[in-house]
Amino acid sequence: MTADAPDDSAAVGRYSLDTRLTGALGGRTAQAIERAFGYRTVGELLGHYPRRYALRGELTALASLPLDENVTIVAEVIEVRERTMRSRRGSILEVKISDGTGILTLTFFNQAWRSRELVPGARGIFAGKVGDYRGARQLAHPDYELFDDATPTSPTDPSVKRWAEAPIPIYPATGALASWQLAKAIALLLDGLEATDAAADPIPETVRASRGLLAQRRALELVHRPEVESDWKAARRTLRFTEALVLQTALLQRRAELRAHATTARHPAAGGLLERFDASLPFELTGDQVEVGQAIADDLGEPVPMNRLVQGEVGSGKTVVALRAMLAVADSGGQAALLAPTEVLAAQHLRSIVRMLGPELSATLVPTLLTGQLSAAERRKALLRAAAGQSRIVVGTHALIGETVSFADLGLIVVDEQHRFGVEQREALRLKGRQPPHVLVLTATPIPRTVAMTVFGDLDISTIRELPAGRAGIESHVVPLAERPGWRSRVWERLAEEVAAGRQGFVVCPAIEARVVEEADPAGPDAVGSEGAGADAAARPVASVASVLAELAELPAFADIRVAPLHGRMSADEKDATMRAFAAGEIDVLVATTVIEVGVDVPNASAMVVIDADRFGVSQLHQLRGRVGRGGLPGLCLLVTAAEPGSLARQRVDAVAATLDGFELARVDLELRQEGDVLGATQSGGRSSLKLLRVVRDGDVIADARAIAGEVLEADPALQRHPALAAEVRRRLDDDATGFLSKG
């Protein structure tokens, strides 16, 4: 790929970060880059930072190259030979390259002319997809660029040493766009980028000076064209801080915008619904529940919209806290809407709310379910109750967002498992209030402090760590089939023992049937089959609901045990009926997919078996485990895995078995991921994902940037005196991405 001739509107020295790539590089090149990465402007492509840096004298460990992945490597040609193809006309050129220990073969069909440049001793960068031919690694028709062409001609030239020592940027690339092709396009942009003064830098000059940071223009130059190692390190330090500052500024602006709207303050009435509910509770609220409840009450009592995230351990009692907020709003004449991610969970929430309220309060509040699977008559009745204000609590799924749904006085939105909803959905529900409603977000996924600052920075955050009294705890064990294949039969014996003792259990599988994996929820990188399950997992057949049901049917120990499936292919009515039967004790063992991950509350369920546990993420396993041990019975969780000891997949499973502390697991999870893709492409469209910032490593940077963003916005809310920062916020976080940040 070579850049097309740029048009006259973007001459040398005239590119800005907002110049379109079509003007700077030409149409064909710009289209190729947009197809590959979605970039359309100069600034977006200059934000495509090198993944790593190589040296001309450095070679790559060829033995570690993963199959079927596009790679960019530095290596040396050691052998070239041409042979005639037997089955058809033509020849194959085979070029062997080496890192000094391993050998990789490059194959070219009918391209004998390449032997004139690919000569033994030549070194360069080679890029292509790693394949396997008769047990040997190979690249078929790879792209390459040899170093020889760029070598200074005179050995005495002082530039020789600089050339030899200059780090080579290796970019995230695709099969169609090699790393050095991107480097050439980026170099063209840097050469034509207009000079900027200090006022055009997003980092305030005093901050830059006090922290020893580079000017943005200089940082972009050195991250892409370093002369020595210290160049790119200093550049990345500056660009990392810039990224943190832009993110935190956007989040704090969003928070200020939300608080700029007026709304109705909601105060519980003396002797009203909330007091009656509290008096009827058969248990004492935990200290954390009381503290978080007071923070919510304080928010509700203000004439500005509440935007609070409540994160709590599995089973910590978030639903009670949310219900008390709903009752405070109902006391003031308002309504509350609870948005749940699935129909199973919405129905479960409704039953739980009705049970906690009791007959008298339920009759007053008329809790109503509104989902897409209701019959026409039921839906009409639910819509009328919501519109007339008869129902003070409406529980539903995405159906709540429909145009036909209206409320008499929507005062509170409760969003359960926030990460499963798009910001547009939350905003659509928000607009159904006559005034902006208060918003309470619940999550059972513990969030480390740095992630919370980065993802939920526009929300006030409360945490419930304390578990209600009477919980007997959960024992977790790894069943390592790689070392102990015979232990699988003992797993089923142990489950049968729990049932024989009058208890119930879950078996969780990653798939519904062979080759049909349960559709992953929008939780992003922690979904089934992701997070680096590894080649060993990919090669094994996936355990499925169908295969496990067949296996259990053959076991004598399960002859009298009532087993039933639960998965996403069942209709809403079928899923609801199954969950009701399980809750009523009419089913002993539920063989399910991750539809039971959140919200399912059956106190008599004491055992959980997770088959192919290595195919699930850390937080997902923690969520699943939380479905047992919820009553006075001790819980048992068996994590069955064939992952090899020491593999990343096995480390995740071992980590979950080692602790019940969700916050510790969240920290371990982030360390195991190593990429910190908290603002991941699956959730944000890819353009606002973290580039250099890593929430595990860069907590201090994030906190520092947040403090500075707060100071800047306090003195200059509209960023009128900081136009470069305002432009960077606008540039990197367009409206959709900014909205994404508000939802996390």
Side-chain angles (χ1 to χ4, degrees):
M1 178 196 80
T2 57
D4 312 324
D7 64 27
D8 293 337
S9 65
V12 173
R14 295 285 303 281
Y15 303 158
S16 75
L17 294 178
D18 294 317
T19 299
R20 305 286 289 187
L21 288 175
T22 49
L25 298 176
R28 285 178 304 170
T29 303
Q31 287 171 10
I33 290 171
E34 184 176 353
R35 278 196 303 272
F37 304 107
Y39 305 147
R40 297 179 182 177
T41 67
V42 168
E44 287 172 354
L45 183 53
L46 290 181
H48 189 75
Y49 304 127
R51 159 198 317 276
R52 62 184 176 86
Y53 297 86
L55 296 174
R56 284 176 173 81
E58 175 184 80
L59 298 176
T60 304
L62 301 183
S64 65
L65 295 178
L67 278 174
D68 297 323
E69 286 194 20
N70 286 301
V71 298
T72 299
I73 60 175
V74 177
E76 179 178 334
V77 176
I78 58 170
E79 181 183 319
V80 183
R81 70 186 185 96
E82 183 185 359
R83 60 182 174 84
T84 303
M85 286 188 280
R86 294 177 182 174
S87 55
R88 52 191 173 126
R89 293 178 60 187
S91 66
I92 297 176
L93 184 70
E94 292 183 337
V95 179
K96 291 185 178 180
I97 60 175
S98 175
D99 61 348
T101 56
I103 293 176
L104 186 70
T105 302
L106 315 179
T107 55
F108 300 93
F109 296 91
N110 297 319
Q111 295 184 16
W113 57 270
R114 293 188 184 275
S115 63
R116 293 194 294 273
E117 56 187 22
L118 291 169
V119 296
R123 289 190 175 193
I125 310 177
F126 303 86
K129 180 177 280 191
V130 181
D132 181 88
Y133 181 68
R134 295 181 178 175
R137 294 282 198 271
Q138 72 164 8
L139 301 181
H141 279 275
D143 288 317
Y144 60 87
E145 183 174 58
L146 300 178
F147 296 147
D148 295 359
D149 293 341
T151 308
T153 53
S154 171
T156 59
D157 188 332
S159 63
V160 170
K161 187 172 187 295
R162 289 199 303 272
W163 175 86
E165 293 179 352
I168 305 163
I170 305 295
Y171 290 92
T174 67
L177 281 173
S179 173
W180 59 85
Q181 293 172 319
L182 289 164
K184 287 178 178 177
I186 288 169
L188 182 64
L189 299 184
L190 288 171
D191 288 341
L193 192 63
E194 60 191 12
T196 57
D197 56 29
D201 201 299
I203 303 177
E205 190 171 2
T206 54
V207 174
R208 204 166 64 242
S210 66
R211 285 156 181 78
L213 301 174
L214 303 173
Q216 186 192 42
R217 178 69 178 79
R218 182 64 175 156
L220 286 173
E221 178 72 34
L222 293 185
V223 81
H224 291 296
R225 295 196 291 209
E227 293 186 1
V228 292
E229 184 181 31
S230 59
D231 284 348
W232 64 258
K233 287 186 174 179
R236 287 169 73 100
R237 181 169 171 264
T238 293
L239 295 168
R240 185 179 298 120
F241 187 88
T242 303
E243 184 175 9
L245 181 63
V246 170
L247 285 169
Q248 294 305 322
T249 302
L251 288 164
L252 291 176
Q253 276 189 320
R254 170 71 178 172
R255 180 175 180 166
E257 287 167 10
L258 292 171
R259 295 187 66 81
H261 297 284
T263 193
T264 304
R266 304 287 180 172
H267 299 283
L273 298 166
L274 179 56
E275 282 193 13
R276 288 163 58 191
F277 174 74
D278 284 347
S280 70
L281 283 176
F283 53 82
E284 289 283 326
L285 295 174
T286 66
D288 283 355
Q289 286 175 319
V290 171
E291 183 178 333
V292 173
Q294 187 57 54
I296 293 170
D298 292 343
D299 286 350
L300 292 175
E302 295 290 329
V304 294
M306 170 177 71
N307 280 282
R308 183 169 291 276
L309 167 73
V310 174
Q311 58 169 335
E313 279 285 12
V314 176
S316 61
K318 295 180 297 297
T319 306
V320 174
V321 169
L323 182 54
R324 294 184 72 249
M326 295 182 203
L327 291 170
V329 170
D331 261 339
S332 70
Q335 296 167 282
L338 193 162
L339 185 61
T342 67
E343 303 218 348
V344 168
L345 191 50
Q348 175 86 20
H349 271 310
L350 185 77
R351 286 195 294 272
S352 178
I353 287 170
V354 169
R355 185 175 68 249
M356 285 191 285
L357 289 174
E360 191 177 328
L361 285 175
S362 292
T364 303
L365 293 159
V366 194
T368 297
L369 183 67
L370 184 55
T371 68
Q373 295 295 316
L374 295 177
S375 68
E378 289 172 324
R379 181 175 175 79
R380 190 161 51 247
K381 188 184 296 183
L383 289 172
L384 284 172
R385 284 176 174 172
Q390 180 188 8
S391 175
R392 307 278 190 87
I393 297 176
V394 181
V395 181
T397 54
H398 299 77
L400 285 176
I401 301 161
E403 291 182 7
T404 57
V405 181
S406 62
F407 294 85
D409 181 13
L410 182 59
L412 173 66
I413 299 169
V414 179
V415 183
D416 191 27
E417 292 306 318
Q418 166 74 6
H419 60 273
R420 301 186 180 215
F421 295 98
V423 68
E424 299 83 6
Q425 296 160 328
R426 191 175 87 179
E427 292 303 307
L429 189 53
R430 190 196 297 271
L431 292 173
K432 293 183 182 293
R434 291 182 304 194
Q435 290 181 305
H438 298 280
V439 176
L440 182 63
V441 174
L442 307 178
T443 179
T445 304
I447 305 163
R449 171 176 160 271
T450 50
V451 180
M453 279 195 298
T454 306
V455 183
F456 297 104
D458 63 328
L459 301 177
D460 296 308
I461 299 175
S462 297
T463 301
I464 304 178
R465 286 178 175 269
E466 198 176 348
L467 295 179
R471 292 293 172 93
I474 306 170
E475 280 190 17
S476 301
H477 302 281
V478 176
V479 181
L481 298 185
E483 304 103 284
R484 299 283 190 273
W487 283 13
R488 187 178 178 100
S489 59
R490 176 57 187 148
V491 168
W492 302 131
E493 290 172 12
R494 189 68 188 82
L495 181 58
E497 289 167 7
E498 288 292 308
V499 175
R503 300 163 187 169
Q504 295 163 275
F506 299 96
V507 179
V508 182
C509 309
I512 302 170
E513 57 188 46
R515 296 189 181 86
V516 182
V517 176
E518 176 81 308
E519 188 173 316
D521 62 57
D526 205 30
V528 173
S530 69
E531 224 189 294
D536 59 332
R540 300 193 308 270
V542 182
S544 67
V545 172
S547 64
V548 169
L549 286 172
E551 184 178 357
L552 296 183
E554 297 294 320
L555 298 177
F558 276 75
D560 298 320
I561 292 176
R562 299 165 295 179
V563 181
L566 182 70
H567 54 73
R569 279 189 170 181
M570 297 164 63
S571 71
D573 286 344
E574 289 172 327
K575 287 186 284 192
D576 190 52
T578 299
M579 277 310 307
R580 284 176 180 270
F582 187 64
E586 297 163 9
I587 294 170
D588 299 313
V589 173
L590 212 52
V591 180
T593 55
T594 54
V595 293
I596 58 108
E597 181 184 347
V598 291
V600 174
D601 188 3
V602 179
N604 192 48
S606 64
M608 170 163 292
V609 177
V610 183
I611 306 294
D612 284 352
D614 50 282
R615 293 182 183 267
F616 300 88
V618 169
S619 66
Q620 204 165 30
L621 289 173
H622 184 55
Q623 293 286 332
L624 289 166
R625 173 172 60 185
R627 299 308 105 209
V628 298
R630 300 180 71 85
L633 300 172
L636 173 68
C637 180
L638 301 178
L639 303 170
V640 183
T641 176
E644 294 295 329
S647 66
L648 184 61
R650 177 64 175 273
Q651 287 179 54
R652 292 200 312 274
V653 179
D654 289 342
V656 174
T659 180
L660 292 172
D661 185 338
F663 291 90
E664 171 63 14
L665 284 175
R667 185 192 64 76
V668 170
D669 188 19
L670 279 171
E671 287 185 353
L672 289 175
R673 289 174 195 261
Q674 295 178 340
E675 284 302 311
D677 188 21
V678 187
L679 311 180
T682 51
Q683 299 185 55
S684 67
R687 292 175 61 191
S688 67
S689 59
L690 298 183
K691 293 178 180 293
L692 296 177
L693 203 63
R694 295 293 175 260
V695 292
V696 174
R697 179 195 63 205
D698 300 324
D700 291 344
V701 176
I702 293 168
D704 188 22
R706 186 173 182 83
I708 291 167
E711 292 170 6
V712 168
L713 289 170
E714 186 176 359
D716 183 18
L719 295 179
Q720 292 178 336
R721 299 195 299 278
H722 297 80
L725 179 56
E728 198 68 19
V729 169
R730 198 164 52 243
R731 188 176 295 122
R732 291 199 186 182
L733 303 170
D734 57 23
D735 291 342
D736 290 341
T738 304
F740 160 74
L741 287 174
S742 74
K743 83 176 179 67

